[in-house]
Amino acid sequence: GENVEQHPSTLSVQEGDSAVIKCTYSDSASNYFPWYKQELGKRPQLIIDIRSNVGEKKDQRIAVTLNKTAKHFSLHITETQPEDSAVYFCAASGTGTASKLTFGTGTRLQVTL
Amino acid sequence: DTGVSQDPRHKITKRGQNVTFRCDPISEHNRLYWYRQTLGQGPEFLTYFQNEAQLEKSRLLSDRFSAERPKGSFSTLEIQRTEQGDSAMYLCASSDLQGARNTIYFGEGSWLTVV
């Protein structure tokens, strides 16, 4: 089955700096890669996703890049703000698994003033 | 769109008791998923339904766990003879097979503590 690894496990940045979180996956058939943000005690919320037919996607301060050859994808947050502090999870799925998501272990992002 | 709702949000039970969680997916979403999440970990897939059919179950889902979606709308997840290792947050999610993006939306989760 799919295996997703995520790094780093914790990340501390100063407000206004950029943050980058990286994930690798094992199943070359995976073709959908969402990122979820989870605040303490809350539901995971989708913040951005990318499909295998594109290499990069951007939404305001958030961007995701995908390298299918290397089987890795990354989340980039620019101009970080204190409200970006949360746990971020990457995930991967393929059409053959009915969009069942396999999650990484999460990155705790702390944005300090 | 009222979102995925789950009930109860918190449950404390004694070891050996049975518990049942309910999930109401986003209206007209035909896929419904159950995940389990423990502290410091990402959600782990348990099972999913397409309409009323349960199409896949994870090996994580022992015989003590059973899920149903009788009318293809809400779903229940029952855990029999609970063990302390069952303590976790149980997340329900839904998606629309017809939608181009097939985005999966999560509920707020049901926290289970087994004492």
Side-chain angles (χ1 to χ4, degrees), chain A residues 36 38 43 49 51 99, chain B residues 33 37 56 101-102 104 106:
Chain A
Y36 286 83
Q38 188 174 32
R43 74 180 80 194
D49 57 9
R51 296 188 181 274
S99 299
Chain B
Y33 307 80
Q37 186 176 24
E56 188 173 348
R101 293 181 61 193
N102 202 16
I104 294 176
F106 284 89

Side-chain angles (χ1 to χ4, degrees), chain A residues 1 32 36 38 40-46 48-49 51 57 89 96-106, chain B residues 3-4 9 31 33 35 37 40-45 48 56 89 91 100-108 111:
Chain A
Y32 176 61
Y36 286 83
Q38 188 174 32
L40 190 63
K42 302 282 189 179
R43 74 180 80 194
Q45 289 194 301
L46 180 74
I48 195 167
D49 57 9
R51 296 188 181 274
K57 184 176 178 181
F89 292 98
T97 52
S99 299
K100 179 185 78 176
L101 295 174
T102 300
F103 284 84
T105 50
Chain B
V4 179
R9 293 291 317 282
R31 284 185 178 162
Y33 307 80
Y35 285 80
Q37 186 176 24
Q41 298 296 317
E44 295 175 298
F45 171 79
Y48 97 94
E56 188 173 348
M89 180 164 69
L91 287 161
R101 293 181 61 193
N102 202 16
T103 301
I104 294 176
Y105 298 92
F106 284 89
E108 294 284 2
W111 285 94

Side-chain angles (χ1 to χ4, degrees), chain B residues 2-22:
Chain B
T2 57
V4 179
S5 61
Q6 295 188 241
D7 181 72
R9 293 291 317 282
H10 302 271
K11 179 72 176 179
I12 299 174
T13 190
K14 290 184 178 179
R15 189 174 50 187
Q17 297 294 305
N18 299 343
V19 296
T20 299
F21 300 113
R22 175 182 170 123

